[in-house]
Amino acid sequence: MKTAMMALLLVASQAGAHQASLETFSTKPILADLSDLKALDIPVLAKEESVGVGYAVITPEMQLKIQERAHKVGKCGGFEDLTTEKNFQALNFTSMLSSLAEIKAKNDLYERAPFAAVAVEKSPKIEAAVAEVSEQNLREWVTWLSSYPNRYNRGKTPNVHVEDMKRRLQTLLASSNIPYEISLISHDSTPQQSVRVRLTGSTRPNEIVVLGGHLDSINQGWGGGQQAPGADDNASGSANLLETLRIISQKEQPQRTVEFFWYAGEESGLLGSAEIAKSYKGEKRDVVAVLQLDMTSYPGAGEFVIGNMTDFTSKWLHEYLRAVNEAYLHARIVDDQCGYGCSDHASWFRQGYPTLMPFESTMRADNPNIHTAKDLINDKTNFAHSAMYSKLAVVFAMDLANSTARQPY
């Protein structure tokens, strides 16, 4: 253990030794919830107290401890793997954390600024589309995705389900009159690919509304090679997106472009979404809003209770969620927090994009079977509850993509 500690101290002081230690000790640089790092006695090499995020370099043993703690306290991912950053050993991590704090501070200004309250006017077209959400379709898609032994991003066959997803999407979209594109996105950080569907906007195609969820699954055991059906985490959110796409692809072409993502490698540190969000920022793409659906079928805090994650998400979109709920869903919204890196919205937030993360419950009441072989459809699975998140996604896509609404700063 002393040798590992010396390696970590060397990492903190010398960029060249940093790279050598990564290769020698299989360590990796991460951003994670500061409270998690402190609780696990993981050396924090840089931190930003205002956002509760720390930078550390971790061993595989440390990574397992973080994942175990995340599961124990009701989180999904738990950290962002910074090896997704090209030439990461030369990054200024203090500056990175300061930038994250600046994004949060700017976002917090929303509550104190004299903006008009967000309002959503009920649309008969959207209301009819919401009524098309099918619980049976959700069940069938979750059954299909959870039938794979696992969807681990570094397994022996990390893209079998990805390629199957592409084929199903081709069938699903064959009758759509909206110009669309299906892409498999390769990554530097993982052999697994992410899936993207782009529905091109009619009048403002450069303005983008993003809906996403991760497609991978993991078992907490070493190597991730054990059974990991991931029915709730995250076949449920993936199914919500499929059902939403099925519905809106048969409607009128949206004014803004709508993109759907099924991300690779979320469970190993937001791998796919981090690369994608960074590339979008680098290309100066105008992403108006990002919706993340990660676990939606276990109503641990009660049926039709939405856990609204308020950290590393947009105050504007929190108001938008409440306005959508009042107009269409009539659920109970409970504010909660999940810490840095709990799901893919963190990747987009760190790049300065507005994000929203509605969860199946409060974090401490989430599904206790995630990251195990027991994450299957069972008597606790509630597809009526899950359908609410597809309904939210339908409104998010149809309303935001046909308006001029955007974060007001």
Side-chain angles (χ1 to χ4, degrees):
M1 198 64 182
K2 288 183 179 179
T3 302
M5 182 64 71
M6 289 175 65
L8 292 176
L9 292 174
L10 191 60
V11 162
S13 61
Q14 298 179 5
H18 185 170
Q19 179 63 23
S21 69
L22 291 173
E23 295 169 354
T24 304
F25 297 102
S26 299
T27 56
K28 66 176 65 174
I30 66 164
L31 292 180
D33 192 275
L34 193 55
S35 63
D36 289 344
L37 296 175
K38 290 179 177 179
L40 296 169
D41 292 323
I42 294 173
V44 177
L45 305 179
K47 64 182 179 179
E48 178 54 62
E49 297 280 1
S50 68
V51 290
V53 177
Y55 161 62
V57 178
I58 61 171
T59 65
E61 292 87 351
M62 291 173 179
Q63 177 174 330
L64 184 61
K65 286 182 179 179
I66 291 173
Q67 290 173 321
E68 288 174 343
R69 175 174 168 79
H71 177 57
K72 185 181 295 184
V73 301
K75 299 179 185 178
C76 182
F79 65 95
E80 180 182 354
D81 183 346
L82 293 176
T83 56
T84 58
E85 300 273 359
K86 286 185 172 63
N87 198 29
F88 62 83
Q89 67 271 20
L91 288 174
N92 183 328
F93 292 101
T94 300
S95 176
M96 179 183 291
L97 288 166
S98 297
S99 175
L100 191 58
E102 289 170 6
I103 293 168
K104 180 182 181 298
K106 187 177 180 181
N107 183 45
D108 288 346
L109 282 174
Y110 182 90
E111 291 184 328
R112 301 192 295 274
F115 299 131
V118 174
V120 172
E121 186 175 342
K122 185 181 289 188
S123 158
K125 288 183 179 179
I126 295 178
E127 191 170 26
V130 164
E132 293 180 37
V133 172
S134 166
E135 295 173 29
Q136 182 58 34
N137 284 349
L138 294 176
R139 176 181 289 274
E140 289 175 1
W141 274 316
V142 171
T143 299
W144 160 57
L145 282 170
S146 59
S147 70
Y148 295 91
N150 68 66
R151 303 186 301 278
Y152 181 50
N153 77 98
R154 292 195 174 98
K156 293 181 180 178
T157 55
N159 287 307
V160 169
H161 66 285
V162 174
E163 292 159 358
D164 289 348
M165 171 70 88
K166 182 179 180 181
R167 284 189 284 270
R168 286 184 178 243
L169 289 168
Q170 288 169 334
T171 300
L172 183 69
L173 291 168
S175 61
S176 178
N177 291 319
I178 301 173
Y180 68 86
E181 174 188 323
I182 304 171
S183 305
L184 298 185
I185 302 172
S186 296
H187 299 292
D188 294 330
S189 56
T190 173
Q192 193 169 77
Q193 295 174 304
S194 295
V195 184
R196 178 180 62 201
V197 170
R198 175 179 291 147
L199 303 180
T200 304
S202 59
T203 58
R204 286 168 286 142
N206 292 332
E207 299 176 15
I208 305 169
V209 176
V210 167
L211 297 85
H214 70 91
L215 195 55
D216 63 315
S217 66
I218 198 169
N219 191 302
Q220 285 294 150
W222 278 104
Q226 301 177 47
Q227 293 287 313
D232 189 26
D233 187 14
N234 181 39
S236 63
S238 296
N240 292 135
L241 296 173
L242 281 164
E243 180 67 352
T244 302
L245 178 61
R246 178 189 72 83
I247 292 167
I248 71 167
S249 65
Q250 301 302 314
K251 307 306 178 189
E252 296 175 4
Q253 184 177 5
Q255 295 169 19
R256 288 169 162 163
T257 292
V258 181
E259 293 185 350
F260 290 78
F261 286 97
W262 289 266
Y263 304 113
E266 184 268 357
E267 300 286 10
S268 294
L270 317 185
L271 300 176
S273 63
E275 289 191 27
I276 291 166
K278 185 182 179 186
S279 71
Y280 272 46
K281 182 63 176 293
E283 295 163 4
K284 297 183 178 179
R285 298 202 186 189
D286 184 8
V287 177
V288 175
V290 177
L291 174 68
Q292 176 73 4
L293 295 181
D294 188 350
M295 298 170 55
T296 66
S297 63
Y298 182 87
E303 189 175 42
F304 307 131
V305 173
I306 296 173
N308 174 40
M309 298 302 114
T310 61
D311 52 342
F312 308 102
T313 51
S314 164
K315 307 291 185 184
W316 165 60
L317 286 177
H318 298 168
E319 280 199 25
Y320 181 75
L321 171 62
R322 288 183 169 81
V324 167
N325 183 57
E326 184 176 344
Y328 295 101
L329 304 178
H330 314 298
R332 184 162 71 92
I333 297 173
V334 178
D335 288 348
D336 199 5
Q337 295 189 344
C338 64
Y340 189 78
C342 78
S343 196
D344 295 297
H345 63 285
S347 297
W348 293 94
F349 185 88
R350 187 160 74 83
Q351 300 301 334
Y353 293 118
T355 60
L356 181 67
M357 167 67 172
F359 192 60
E360 65 185 10
S361 67
T362 56
M363 274 288 153
R364 289 192 175 275
D366 76 335
N367 191 336
N369 292 323
I370 64 167
H371 301 170
T372 74
K374 296 180 180 179
D375 187 3
L376 297 160
I377 296 174
N378 56 37
D379 60 351
K380 301 294 185 181
T381 305
N382 187 320
F383 286 105
H385 183 74
S386 184
M388 177 173 60
Y389 296 83
S390 284
K391 293 173 181 179
L392 168 59
V394 166
V395 179
F396 193 90
M398 292 184 68
D399 181 70
L400 283 180
N402 290 293
S403 75
T404 58
R406 62 168 63 239
Q407 191 159 266
Y409 53 81

